[in-house]
Amino acid sequence: MKNILVIGSTGQIGSELTRRLREIYGNTHVVAGYIPGAEPKGELLEAGPAAVADVTDAQCLSDVVTKYEIDTIYNLAALLSVVAESRPRLAWKIGIDGLWNVLEVAREHNCAVFTPSSIGSFGADTPHQMTPQDTIQRPRTIYGISKVTTELLSDYYHLKYGVDTRSVRFPGIISYLTLPGGGTTDYAVDIYYSAVRGEKFICPIGQGTLMDMMYMPDALKAAIQIMEADGNRLVHHNGFNVASMSFAPETIFEAIKRHKPDFEMEYQVDPLRQSIAESWPDKMDDTCARTEWDWKPDFDLEAMTVDMLAHLEQKIK
Ligand code: AKB
């Protein structure tokens, strides 16, 4: 039986991943890790154990892992791409110094570790069309630099110490439960909130700017499936490209407008977000994930739009 620690359990991905893992492995086997000031509430707090798990404090991590006999860590602690540009030192402290602590604790306690990478690990020199699994990664954001380092350091701990590190490169994740915050792809979440509130959407990303995106259920599926995959089949371990849909602002706008005919959008392009978006792939090639661990997404843009609108109509009544 797995005992799992989710670091960052109150964030956009963590809040839903913790719930899903509890459904699969049992409530008492999944610890919701948090930092003071971002405590879990409601069902997340009541359904299972919760504990402070601060990646910048190695002793704190070691204590939680010992207390709950943890054998698998999902490490979701990070600042997203836009906010990281205004706080680069903090982004590095959480993303890389923190990862080092997580990997050291995993080495000592024999834990498997998932630490997501991102489309942000690519840069302007990367081939943008069907971006290959193994290709140029020269990002110029601190977020991207920390994600490339995450992939390399995770590989290093696997090769040198035998720690079972695995991960995927997440696209922009779209969800209705917990807002993201400080990412370049956040517009693809915000646009649904505007549509349901009956407001005009002010789009910070320019027309024609393609980025990979994924609906939360597929993101959870990818994170859990890679950790359950047969290790003998894996050629890669960290930073698997996973793709499900790629679109520009006008395409998601049209998809929503088919359900909300009065919906309006106007562009007010944010230069920082735009320059980051233009440096990322238009669409990744995820053949390796499909071949090595049978990755296959369930949601396309239309299926996601129907589901997002239905859930947000319930949420924003
Ligand atoms: C961001 O926009 O920073 C994230 C990501 C794609 O990693 N959503």
Side-chain angles (χ1 to χ4, degrees):
M1 177 61 81
K2 276 194 196 306
N3 288 322
I4 301 171
L5 171 64
V6 180
I7 298 174
S9 68
T10 58
Q12 185 200 13
I13 299 175
S15 57
E16 299 206 38
L17 182 63
T18 305
R19 284 175 175 82
R20 181 62 54 83
L21 290 168
R22 283 176 172 166
E23 280 166 17
I24 298 172
Y25 300 104
N27 285 344
T28 56
H29 293 278
V30 182
V31 180
Y34 63 93
I35 50 167
E39 288 83 1
K41 295 187 182 72
E43 188 211 319
L44 201 55
L45 178 65
E46 286 146 22
V52 172
D54 180 350
V55 288
T56 65
D57 182 344
Q59 189 58 51
C60 159
L61 289 181
S62 180
D63 291 346
V64 180
V65 166
T66 304
K67 178 173 176 190
Y68 293 98
E69 299 179 4
I70 297 297
D71 53 46
T72 304
I73 301 172
Y74 282 86
N75 169 27
L76 304 175
L79 295 190
L80 293 184
S81 54
V82 175
V83 75
E85 285 304 294
S86 61
R87 308 190 71 185
R89 183 66 194 91
L90 181 64
W92 189 265
K93 187 176 171 194
I94 294 171
I96 301 306
D97 298 344
L99 173 63
W100 191 282
N101 289 335
V102 171
L103 291 171
E104 272 300 298
V105 168
R107 180 162 79 95
E108 281 162 23
H109 295 266
N110 201 18
C111 301
V113 182
F114 175 92
T115 310
S117 184
S118 157
I119 52 173
S121 69
F122 296 114
D125 301 330
T126 302
H128 277 34
Q129 309 295 331
M130 292 305 281
T131 301
Q133 174 66 39
D134 302 308
T135 186
I136 300 164
Q137 287 177 280
R138 300 289 292 178
R140 292 179 195 156
T141 60
I142 194 67
Y143 180 70
I145 294 165
S146 75
K147 286 303 179 189
V148 175
T149 310
T150 295
E151 294 180 12
L152 295 175
L153 197 57
S154 299
D155 278 345
Y156 181 80
Y157 266 73
H158 173 64
L159 293 169
K160 192 168 171 86
Y161 302 119
V163 177
D164 189 3
T165 56
R166 304 179 184 192
S167 69
V168 300
R169 292 180 183 133
F170 275 139
I173 307 295
I174 296 163
S175 64
Y176 54 83
L177 192 68
T178 308
L179 282 167
T184 305
T185 58
D186 292 8
Y187 91 87
V189 176
D190 298 339
I191 193 170
Y192 285 105
Y193 279 82
S194 292
V196 170
R197 289 190 177 119
E199 296 164 355
K200 181 197 267 191
F201 180 61
I202 307 298
C203 187
I205 299 292
Q207 188 165 358
T209 311
L210 287 163
M211 283 186 278
D212 277 294
M213 301 281 180
M214 183 175 284
Y215 197 32
M216 182 62 89
D218 279 331
L220 303 181
K221 177 173 158 175
I224 295 167
Q225 202 175 325
I226 180 63
M227 293 308 281
E228 289 288 359
D230 176 0
N232 294 322
R233 287 179 61 198
L234 298 183
V235 179
H236 301 82
H237 281 261
N238 291 286
F240 276 97
N241 287 358
V242 283
S244 62
M245 62 185 97
S246 161
F247 54 74
E250 64 274 19
T251 312
I252 186 172
F253 170 69
E254 288 302 334
I256 295 172
K257 207 172 160 63
R258 281 195 283 278
H259 300 270
K260 300 254 170 213
D262 296 334
F263 187 40
E264 290 180 77
M265 181 170 85
E266 180 189 316
Y267 292 97
Q268 282 179 25
V269 174
D270 173 68
L272 174 60
R273 284 178 169 76
Q274 185 64 23
S275 71
I276 296 174
E278 284 175 11
S279 75
W280 289 357
D282 290 353
K283 183 170 175 43
M284 289 188 290
D285 178 352
D286 61 1
T287 305
C288 290
R290 289 174 188 260
T291 308
E292 293 176 37
W293 48 280
D294 306 323
W295 159 247
K296 191 172 173 296
D298 294 322
F299 285 84
D300 60 12
L301 177 58
E302 176 58 19
M304 175 177 77
T305 297
V306 168
D307 205 59
M308 274 295 283
L309 292 175
H311 279 97
L312 285 180
E313 302 280 3
Q314 283 294 315
K315 187 174 172 179
I316 309 172
K317 269 202 279 207

